[in-house]
Amino acid sequence: MLVIYFDFKPKETKEDLFDREEELKKLLSSKDESIILLTGIRRIGKTSLLKVFLNEIKLPYALVDVRYPLTSYRSLYTIFSNLLSQLNRKRKIVDVLKSVKGISLFGIDISLSWDPKNRPSLLEIMDKVDESGKVIIAFDEAQNLRGKLANEFLSILAHCYDYCKNVTFILTGSDIGLLYDFLKIDDPSSPLYGRHLEEIRLNKFSNEQSLEFLREGFRQANISPNESVLEYAVSKLDGIVGWLTEFGYRCVKIGEVKREIVDEVLEIASKLAMEELSHFSKDYVIVIEAIAKGYKRWSELKRYLEDKKKRVVYDAELKKYLDKLEKRGYVVKKESREYDLADPVLKNALA
């Protein structure tokens, strides 16, 4: 039984992607921009949209899943070895690289030396890649490129922005604030200072979109769900496609749509959310806990934190907590000047 919408693997074709036509259209129309930011909170579907775009665009591309910070030349040159190998599989670029020192070829794979005496210039390599014609280079979760060599990576982006008209970079990020901190586009000392970066942001599904996503997924599975259960799922999972998919998958597995499965997903998701929060200090968790319980204004948050800590909390201290949580994509500030949680699962975990 093929249930495309409830498959956990990132989507790769336009037909399998639910209701992201507008975002896909923006990506396609931005293909000649130098740097595109694709942003949105965790489990919102960024990787699926990116993969569909790369398959639709019909151009050579490299997609690098960034998991570790740039702490050494080994890590930097390993990343570029990976992306050059991917490009070489789709268009033979090794010919334009023959004159560059420090490059080894193993079949269709390209390996770059990181030996200080022999490592090639990455700027020269990107100039050569530019000569080969139009290419797309994507870094998934690019904020993880932070590290002591981050500025060197930014210099490569800035060089390509100025001189490589055939190279488009796409950077995705769940920790949106951290991604902007990494790029430092407002910092005069940053190589990217003053450059225009095109941003395409994925938002949560609306209630109606979420309902339609579930209805269509269950239709694919030949299951007729109770509408009230779907509405309950949507009210609890709040437009996060990853959690809606988890709910749908579990229902299809047993062949029945049950309200209890929504609660199961919430419990599992809550544990995962709490695990993700474990790297924060207790003070940050208290702020999230306060918002989850409905304390959303500055004065309410400050009083809640003071009651918990049994001492005066100064505005600068609270600002530090909220700024970091915003940057990590856990908290959003609304136009009403209230704060809310980006992921509804945290409300269930902490309320």
Side-chain angles (χ1 to χ4, degrees):
M1 183 188 304
L2 185 62
V3 186
I4 296 168
Y5 290 162
F6 298 157
D7 185 352
F8 293 117
K9 294 178 182 177
K11 308 299 181 284
E12 299 194 0
T13 67
K14 185 178 179 180
E15 294 72 27
D16 294 346
L17 190 67
F18 179 82
D19 210 358
R20 291 295 190 191
E21 290 87 355
E22 189 62 32
E23 293 89 343
L24 181 58
K25 188 184 299 183
K26 287 180 181 177
L27 263 179
L28 291 167
S29 66
S30 302
K31 71 181 189 306
D32 293 322
E33 296 283 345
S34 294
I35 302 174
I36 303 168
L37 305 183
L38 180 58
T39 61
I41 65 173
R42 296 165 184 80
R43 305 172 190 91
I44 204 71
K46 296 184 297 297
T47 303
S48 287
L49 178 63
L50 176 58
K51 285 195 167 189
V52 170
F53 163 76
L54 293 174
N55 287 323
E56 285 284 314
I57 202 68
K58 308 300 183 187
L59 288 170
Y61 67 83
L63 173 55
V64 181
D65 181 6
V66 181
R67 296 183 181 274
Y68 304 106
L70 288 175
T71 56
S72 66
Y73 279 100
R74 175 174 183 160
S75 57
L76 178 63
Y77 277 74
T78 297
I79 284 174
F80 275 84
S81 295
N82 180 2
L83 73 85
L84 289 173
S85 296
Q86 290 188 47
L87 290 176
N88 197 45
R89 294 183 192 112
K90 298 174 176 67
R91 175 196 291 159
K92 194 175 181 183
I93 63 168
V94 69
D95 292 339
V96 300
L97 298 174
K98 284 180 178 176
S99 63
V100 182
K101 71 167 188 175
I103 293 179
S104 300
L105 184 66
F106 300 92
I108 59 173
D109 290 328
I110 296 172
S111 178
L112 304 181
S113 171
W114 58 77
D115 185 334
K117 298 178 181 178
N118 195 44
R119 65 184 174 223
S121 162
L122 294 177
L123 299 185
E124 182 183 359
I125 284 176
M126 292 312 301
D127 286 339
K128 296 293 185 182
V129 170
D130 185 58
E131 289 176 16
S132 74
K134 183 67 182 178
V135 298
I136 308 290
I137 298 173
F139 293 93
D140 205 6
E141 298 299 348
Q143 72 276 352
N144 293 332
L145 288 166
R146 302 184 319 276
K148 65 181 183 181
L149 290 182
N151 223 50
E152 186 145 346
F153 181 83
L154 296 183
S155 294
I156 295 167
L157 292 185
H159 174 85
C160 291
Y161 189 104
D162 292 337
Y163 299 105
C164 300
K165 303 309 178 186
N166 285 320
V167 179
T168 292
F169 288 96
I170 301 178
L171 311 178
T172 81
S174 298
D175 297 338
I176 302 168
L178 287 185
L179 179 61
Y180 272 97
D181 277 356
F182 161 63
L183 296 170
K184 298 188 290 187
I185 56 175
D186 295 323
D187 183 347
S189 68
S190 170
L192 286 177
Y193 177 66
R195 305 307 204 281
H196 167 72
L197 277 60
E198 186 75 12
E199 182 177 0
I200 298 169
R201 183 169 297 197
L202 269 69
N203 296 314
K204 296 184 292 185
F205 287 157
S206 66
N207 285 354
E208 188 50 47
Q209 286 172 317
S210 299
L211 283 169
E212 194 54 39
F213 173 81
L214 293 175
R215 289 172 187 142
E216 180 60 23
F218 289 123
R219 186 196 64 77
Q220 292 173 355
N222 294 318
I223 295 174
S224 298
N226 184 308
E227 195 70 12
S228 66
V229 178
L230 298 190
E231 290 172 357
Y232 178 69
V234 168
S235 71
K236 293 294 185 181
L237 303 176
D238 194 28
I240 307 295
V241 67
W243 300 135
L244 294 169
T245 298
E246 179 75 37
F247 166 67
Y249 173 82
R250 286 171 172 265
C251 290
V252 169
K253 194 172 181 180
I254 67 169
E256 186 179 358
V257 181
K258 299 172 65 177
R259 183 185 178 102
E260 292 84 352
I261 295 179
V262 178
D263 299 327
E264 287 177 12
V265 171
L266 274 175
E267 184 178 354
I268 293 167
S270 296
K271 288 179 181 177
L272 181 59
M274 291 304 295
E275 185 178 327
E276 289 177 350
L277 285 180
S278 64
H279 65 279
F280 283 109
S281 72
K282 183 180 178 181
D283 293 336
Y284 290 94
V285 178
I286 291 174
V287 173
I288 293 176
E289 177 185 270
I291 297 172
K293 291 182 175 180
Y295 302 96
K296 298 185 176 184
R297 293 188 175 277
W298 182 279
S299 58
E300 295 172 339
L301 291 169
K302 186 176 178 181
R303 180 175 293 277
Y304 188 93
L305 196 56
E306 287 179 336
D307 288 344
K308 286 286 186 178
K309 295 177 73 66
K310 308 298 183 188
R311 66 168 176 80
V312 171
V313 172
Y314 293 99
D315 286 351
E317 183 180 358
L318 179 55
K319 184 178 184 300
K320 180 186 74 171
Y321 298 144
L322 288 168
D323 284 351
K324 183 171 182 179
L325 290 170
E326 279 191 86
K327 287 177 180 179
R328 295 304 300 264
Y330 287 95
V331 168
V332 292
K333 188 176 182 180
K334 297 187 172 182
E335 292 182 2
S336 61
R337 301 184 70 180
E338 292 184 345
Y339 293 88
D340 205 351
L341 300 181
D343 192 333
V345 165
L346 281 174
K347 296 180 184 179
N348 182 74
L350 293 167

mmCIF file of all heavy atoms in Angstrom, residues 37-63:
data_model
loop_
_atom_site.group_PDB
_atom_site.id
_atom_site.type_symbol
_atom_site.label_atom_id
_atom_site.label_comp_id
_atom_site.label_asym_id
_atom_site.label_seq_id
_atom_site.Cartn_x
_atom_site.Cartn_y
_atom_site.Cartn_z
ATOM 1 N N LEU A 37 18.382 31.526 1.297
ATOM 2 C CA LEU A 37 18.166 30.925 2.612
ATOM 3 C C LEU A 37 16.794 30.267 2.618
ATOM 4 O O LEU A 37 15.792 30.906 2.291
ATOM 5 C CB LEU A 37 18.231 31.977 3.722
ATOM 6 C CG LEU A 37 19.494 32.834 3.791
ATOM 7 C CD1 LEU A 37 19.419 33.779 4.995
ATOM 8 C CD2 LEU A 37 20.744 31.973 3.863
ATOM 9 N N LEU A 38 16.749 28.996 2.966
ATOM 10 C CA LEU A 38 15.488 28.267 3.088
ATOM 11 C C LEU A 38 15.310 27.950 4.571
ATOM 12 O O LEU A 38 16.030 27.119 5.128
ATOM 13 C CB LEU A 38 15.539 26.983 2.256
ATOM 14 C CG LEU A 38 14.292 26.092 2.267
ATOM 15 C CD1 LEU A 38 13.075 26.858 1.780
ATOM 16 C CD2 LEU A 38 14.516 24.846 1.410
ATOM 17 N N THR A 39 14.359 28.639 5.217
ATOM 18 C CA THR A 39 14.257 28.565 6.667
ATOM 19 C C THR A 39 12.891 28.073 7.126
ATOM 20 O O THR A 39 11.911 28.112 6.385
ATOM 21 C CB THR A 39 14.536 29.945 7.307
ATOM 22 O OG1 THR A 39 13.558 30.884 6.836
ATOM 23 C CG2 THR A 39 15.931 30.442 6.950
ATOM 24 N N GLY A 40 12.829 27.640 8.371
ATOM 25 C CA GLY A 40 11.603 27.132 8.976
ATOM 26 C C GLY A 40 11.957 26.270 10.169
ATOM 27 O O GLY A 40 13.080 25.769 10.268
ATOM 28 N N ILE A 41 11.020 26.092 11.088
ATOM 29 C CA ILE A 41 11.305 25.343 12.306
ATOM 30 C C ILE A 41 11.501 23.862 11.985
ATOM 31 O O ILE A 41 11.257 23.408 10.874
ATOM 32 C CB ILE A 41 10.190 25.529 13.366
ATOM 33 C CG1 ILE A 41 8.873 24.930 12.873
ATOM 34 C CG2 ILE A 41 10.035 26.989 13.725
ATOM 35 C CD1 ILE A 41 7.780 24.924 13.925
ATOM 36 N N ARG A 42 11.934 23.116 12.979
ATOM 37 C CA ARG A 42 12.183 21.686 12.806
ATOM 38 C C ARG A 42 10.912 20.961 12.358
ATOM 39 O O ARG A 42 9.817 21.297 12.776
ATOM 40 C CB ARG A 42 12.668 21.065 14.130
ATOM 41 C CG ARG A 42 14.005 21.612 14.613
ATOM 42 C CD ARG A 42 14.238 21.249 16.067
ATOM 43 N NE ARG A 42 15.465 21.827 16.589
ATOM 44 C CZ ARG A 42 15.582 23.086 16.994
ATOM 45 N NH1 ARG A 42 14.540 23.894 16.949
ATOM 46 N NH2 ARG A 42 16.733 23.535 17.452
ATOM 47 N N ARG A 43 11.119 19.941 11.520
ATOM 48 C CA ARG A 43 10.043 19.033 11.075
ATOM 49 C C ARG A 43 8.960 19.748 10.267
ATOM 50 O O ARG A 43 7.809 19.337 10.263
ATOM 51 C CB ARG A 43 9.417 18.292 12.277
ATOM 52 C CG ARG A 43 10.458 17.535 13.099
ATOM 53 C CD ARG A 43 9.879 16.959 14.377
ATOM 54 N NE ARG A 43 10.959 16.452 15.221
ATOM 55 C CZ ARG A 43 11.577 17.161 16.150
ATOM 56 N NH1 ARG A 43 11.223 18.407 16.377
ATOM 57 N NH2 ARG A 43 12.561 16.635 16.858
ATOM 58 N N ILE A 44 9.355 20.821 9.597
ATOM 59 C CA ILE A 44 8.375 21.590 8.825
ATOM 60 C C ILE A 44 8.410 21.214 7.346
ATOM 61 O O ILE A 44 7.543 21.617 6.571
ATOM 62 C CB ILE A 44 8.609 23.114 9.012
ATOM 63 C CG1 ILE A 44 7.323 23.920 8.752
ATOM 64 C CG2 ILE A 44 9.742 23.617 8.134
ATOM 65 C CD1 ILE A 44 6.281 23.764 9.812
ATOM 66 N N GLY A 45 9.455 20.475 6.917
ATOM 67 C CA GLY A 45 9.505 20.001 5.537
ATOM 68 C C GLY A 45 10.512 20.690 4.642
ATOM 69 O O GLY A 45 10.385 20.634 3.405
ATOM 70 N N LYS A 46 11.549 21.306 5.213
ATOM 71 C CA LYS A 46 12.541 22.035 4.403
ATOM 72 C C LYS A 46 13.306 21.098 3.468
ATOM 73 O O LYS A 46 13.518 21.412 2.290
ATOM 74 C CB LYS A 46 13.527 22.773 5.315
ATOM 75 C CG LYS A 46 12.900 23.853 6.172
ATOM 76 C CD LYS A 46 13.938 24.604 6.974
ATOM 77 C CE LYS A 46 14.665 23.712 7.967
ATOM 78 N NZ LYS A 46 13.765 23.141 8.990
ATOM 79 N N THR A 47 13.740 19.955 4.000
ATOM 80 C CA THR A 47 14.539 19.040 3.174
ATOM 81 C C THR A 47 13.718 18.496 2.015
ATOM 82 O O THR A 47 14.220 18.352 0.892
ATOM 83 C CB THR A 47 15.100 17.893 4.031
ATOM 84 O OG1 THR A 47 15.872 18.437 5.117
ATOM 85 C CG2 THR A 47 16.003 16.991 3.203
ATOM 86 N N SER A 48 12.448 18.199 2.258
ATOM 87 C CA SER A 48 11.579 17.725 1.174
ATOM 88 C C SER A 48 11.455 18.781 0.078
ATOM 89 O O SER A 48 11.594 18.482 -1.115
ATOM 90 C CB SER A 48 10.190 17.374 1.716
ATOM 91 O OG SER A 48 10.212 16.184 2.461
ATOM 92 N N LEU A 49 11.191 20.016 0.472
ATOM 93 C CA LEU A 49 11.055 21.087 -0.513
ATOM 94 C C LEU A 49 12.359 21.258 -1.290
ATOM 95 O O LEU A 49 12.352 21.413 -2.525
ATOM 96 C CB LEU A 49 10.677 22.394 0.181
ATOM 97 C CG LEU A 49 10.546 23.618 -0.742
ATOM 98 C CD1 LEU A 49 9.434 23.421 -1.758
ATOM 99 C CD2 LEU A 49 10.308 24.879 0.073
ATOM 100 N N LEU A 50 13.475 21.209 -0.591
ATOM 101 C CA LEU A 50 14.777 21.374 -1.236
ATOM 102 C C LEU A 50 15.033 20.261 -2.252
ATOM 103 O O LEU A 50 15.454 20.518 -3.388
ATOM 104 C CB LEU A 50 15.877 21.393 -0.176
ATOM 105 C CG LEU A 50 17.323 21.464 -0.682
ATOM 106 C CD1 LEU A 50 17.533 22.707 -1.546
ATOM 107 C CD2 LEU A 50 18.297 21.445 0.491
ATOM 108 N N LYS A 51 14.749 19.017 -1.869
ATOM 109 C CA LYS A 51 14.995 17.897 -2.778
ATOM 110 C C LYS A 51 14.091 17.951 -4.006
ATOM 111 O O LYS A 51 14.526 17.647 -5.130
ATOM 112 C CB LYS A 51 14.805 16.569 -2.034
ATOM 113 C CG LYS A 51 15.959 16.235 -1.101
ATOM 114 C CD LYS A 51 15.911 14.777 -0.676
ATOM 115 C CE LYS A 51 17.217 14.366 -0.027
ATOM 116 N NZ LYS A 51 17.278 12.910 0.206
ATOM 117 N N VAL A 52 12.850 18.332 -3.803
ATOM 118 C CA VAL A 52 11.945 18.470 -4.943
ATOM 119 C C VAL A 52 12.451 19.559 -5.887
ATOM 120 O O VAL A 52 12.485 19.384 -7.116
ATOM 121 C CB VAL A 52 10.511 18.781 -4.476
ATOM 122 C CG1 VAL A 52 9.622 19.165 -5.667
ATOM 123 C CG2 VAL A 52 9.916 17.587 -3.741
ATOM 124 N N PHE A 53 12.861 20.683 -5.323
ATOM 125 C CA PHE A 53 13.412 21.774 -6.141
ATOM 126 C C PHE A 53 14.612 21.297 -6.951
ATOM 127 O O PHE A 53 14.705 21.561 -8.165
ATOM 128 C CB PHE A 53 13.815 22.944 -5.241
ATOM 129 C CG PHE A 53 14.735 23.925 -5.909
ATOM 130 C CD1 PHE A 53 14.247 24.831 -6.839
ATOM 131 C CD2 PHE A 53 16.089 23.928 -5.615
ATOM 132 C CE1 PHE A 53 15.104 25.728 -7.466
ATOM 133 C CE2 PHE A 53 16.950 24.819 -6.241
ATOM 134 C CZ PHE A 53 16.454 25.726 -7.173
ATOM 135 N N LEU A 54 15.536 20.595 -6.300
ATOM 136 C CA LEU A 54 16.750 20.145 -6.991
ATOM 137 C C LEU A 54 16.419 19.194 -8.141
ATOM 138 O O LEU A 54 17.088 19.210 -9.182
ATOM 139 C CB LEU A 54 17.706 19.481 -5.998
ATOM 140 C CG LEU A 54 18.322 20.418 -4.947
ATOM 141 C CD1 LEU A 54 19.125 19.633 -3.919
ATOM 142 C CD2 LEU A 54 19.191 21.487 -5.600
ATOM 143 N N ASN A 55 15.402 18.374 -7.957
ATOM 144 C CA ASN A 55 15.003 17.461 -9.024
ATOM 145 C C ASN A 55 14.217 18.165 -10.133
ATOM 146 O O ASN A 55 14.268 17.757 -11.289
ATOM 147 C CB ASN A 55 14.189 16.298 -8.457
ATOM 148 C CG ASN A 55 15.056 15.321 -7.691
ATOM 149 O OD1 ASN A 55 16.190 15.056 -8.080
ATOM 150 N ND2 ASN A 55 14.546 14.789 -6.601
ATOM 151 N N GLU A 56 13.505 19.233 -9.771
ATOM 152 C CA GLU A 56 12.732 19.984 -10.755
ATOM 153 C C GLU A 56 13.616 20.877 -11.620
ATOM 154 O O GLU A 56 13.317 21.111 -12.799
ATOM 155 C CB GLU A 56 11.684 20.856 -10.048
ATOM 156 C CG GLU A 56 10.485 20.102 -9.516
ATOM 157 C CD GLU A 56 9.512 19.702 -10.607
ATOM 158 O OE1 GLU A 56 9.197 20.545 -11.461
ATOM 159 O OE2 GLU A 56 9.106 18.521 -10.613
ATOM 160 N N ILE A 57 14.696 21.377 -11.048
ATOM 161 C CA ILE A 57 15.488 22.412 -11.703
ATOM 162 C C ILE A 57 16.290 21.887 -12.886
ATOM 163 O O ILE A 57 16.683 22.630 -13.786
ATOM 164 C CB ILE A 57 16.423 23.096 -10.673
ATOM 165 C CG1 ILE A 57 16.838 24.484 -11.148
ATOM 166 C CG2 ILE A 57 17.637 22.257 -10.369
ATOM 167 C CD1 ILE A 57 15.725 25.480 -11.189
ATOM 168 N N LYS A 58 16.542 20.560 -12.909
ATOM 169 C CA LYS A 58 17.247 19.933 -14.039
ATOM 170 C C LYS A 58 18.633 20.535 -14.256
ATOM 171 O O LYS A 58 19.083 20.737 -15.398
ATOM 172 C CB LYS A 58 16.435 20.042 -15.336
ATOM 173 C CG LYS A 58 15.002 19.560 -15.251
ATOM 174 C CD LYS A 58 14.906 18.096 -14.869
ATOM 175 C CE LYS A 58 13.454 17.633 -14.857
ATOM 176 N NZ LYS A 58 13.286 16.263 -14.344
ATOM 177 N N LEU A 59 19.330 20.831 -13.167
ATOM 178 C CA LEU A 59 20.696 21.345 -13.234
ATOM 179 C C LEU A 59 21.595 20.478 -12.351
ATOM 180 O O LEU A 59 21.120 19.871 -11.392
ATOM 181 C CB LEU A 59 20.755 22.794 -12.726
ATOM 182 C CG LEU A 59 20.148 23.878 -13.612
ATOM 183 C CD1 LEU A 59 20.081 25.196 -12.841
ATOM 184 C CD2 LEU A 59 20.959 24.054 -14.898
ATOM 185 N N PRO A 60 22.886 20.429 -12.646
ATOM 186 C CA PRO A 60 23.797 19.718 -11.743
ATOM 187 C C PRO A 60 23.756 20.356 -10.352
ATOM 188 O O PRO A 60 23.734 21.592 -10.229
ATOM 189 C CB PRO A 60 25.178 19.923 -12.386
ATOM 190 C CG PRO A 60 24.891 20.233 -13.810
ATOM 191 C CD PRO A 60 23.599 20.988 -13.815
ATOM 192 N N TYR A 61 23.737 19.519 -9.326
ATOM 193 C CA TYR A 61 23.668 20.051 -7.965
ATOM 194 C C TYR A 61 24.439 19.161 -7.002
ATOM 195 O O TYR A 61 24.722 17.986 -7.278
ATOM 196 C CB TYR A 61 22.219 20.190 -7.497
ATOM 197 C CG TYR A 61 21.488 18.874 -7.313
ATOM 198 C CD1 TYR A 61 21.622 18.142 -6.120
ATOM 199 C CD2 TYR A 61 20.670 18.349 -8.301
ATOM 200 C CE1 TYR A 61 20.963 16.936 -5.934
ATOM 201 C CE2 TYR A 61 20.003 17.147 -8.131
ATOM 202 C CZ TYR A 61 20.153 16.445 -6.943
ATOM 203 O OH TYR A 61 19.502 15.253 -6.759
ATOM 204 N N ALA A 62 24.770 19.744 -5.862
ATOM 205 C CA ALA A 62 25.335 18.995 -4.742
ATOM 206 C C ALA A 62 24.517 19.343 -3.516
ATOM 207 O O ALA A 62 24.181 20.510 -3.287
ATOM 208 C CB ALA A 62 26.798 19.359 -4.521
ATOM 209 N N LEU A 63 24.177 18.335 -2.720
ATOM 210 C CA LEU A 63 23.427 18.528 -1.476
ATOM 211 C C LEU A 63 24.244 17.955 -0.329
ATOM 212 O O LEU A 63 24.476 16.748 -0.261
ATOM 213 C CB LEU A 63 22.065 17.843 -1.556
ATOM 214 C CG LEU A 63 21.224 17.808 -0.270
ATOM 215 C CD1 LEU A 63 21.007 19.204 0.301
ATOM 216 C CD2 LEU A 63 19.879 17.130 -0.532
#
